[in-house]
Amino acid sequence: MTDLLHAEDIKKAVGAFTAAESFDHKKFFQMVGLKTKGPDDVKKVFHILDKDKSGFIEEEELGFILKGFLPDARDLTTKETKTLLAAGDKDGDGKIGAD
């Protein structure tokens, strides 16, 4: 992940959301620097987070998304996971695709 994003940005972003129910995906992705990356780099990050390499990030994988950025990060709560899924699941199939 640090090949694409700055380690210090990742650490600060993960640290900002250590409390349960504090995760804000828009702020988090901005803080780690994804908002300034081009589509190719965003897809590279997506594929890192797609742990089962299915081409999609499913609800179960979303719960562990912070650990994809920093291994000792916390898991998202069920509510945070569902909120993140709803934000990224454009076609309602219960998973998020790279596009």
Side-chain angles (χ1 to χ4, degrees):
M1 191 65 75
T2 55
D3 290 342
L4 299 165
L5 303 170
H6 297 289
E8 195 58 35
D9 291 342
I10 293 170
K11 187 176 178 181
K12 285 180 186 176
V14 170
F17 301 102
T18 56
E21 304 301 337
S22 67
F23 185 71
D24 179 319
H25 63 277
K26 289 180 182 179
K27 286 182 185 176
F28 178 80
F29 293 133
Q30 181 177 10
M31 289 177 75
V32 295
L34 274 176
K35 296 280 187 175
T36 62
K37 297 292 180 184
D40 289 340
D41 284 340
V42 172
K43 283 185 180 183
K44 287 176 187 174
V45 170
F46 176 91
H47 291 295
I48 292 169
L49 298 173
D50 178 16
K51 296 297 184 191
D52 65 2
K53 305 302 178 203
S54 66
F56 297 95
I57 299 177
E58 294 87 4
E59 186 171 347
E60 183 177 314
E61 290 172 301
L62 284 177
F64 308 114
I65 197 166
L66 293 179
K67 289 183 175 165
F69 289 89
L70 198 62
D72 62 347
R74 72 174 178 91
D75 295 338
L76 296 183
T77 66
T78 300
K79 181 179 176 184
E80 290 170 321
T81 302
K82 290 188 181 303
T83 299
L84 181 55
L85 179 63
D89 181 12
K90 301 301 180 193
D91 60 6
D93 65 356
K95 53 190 176 184
I96 300 171
D99 294 329

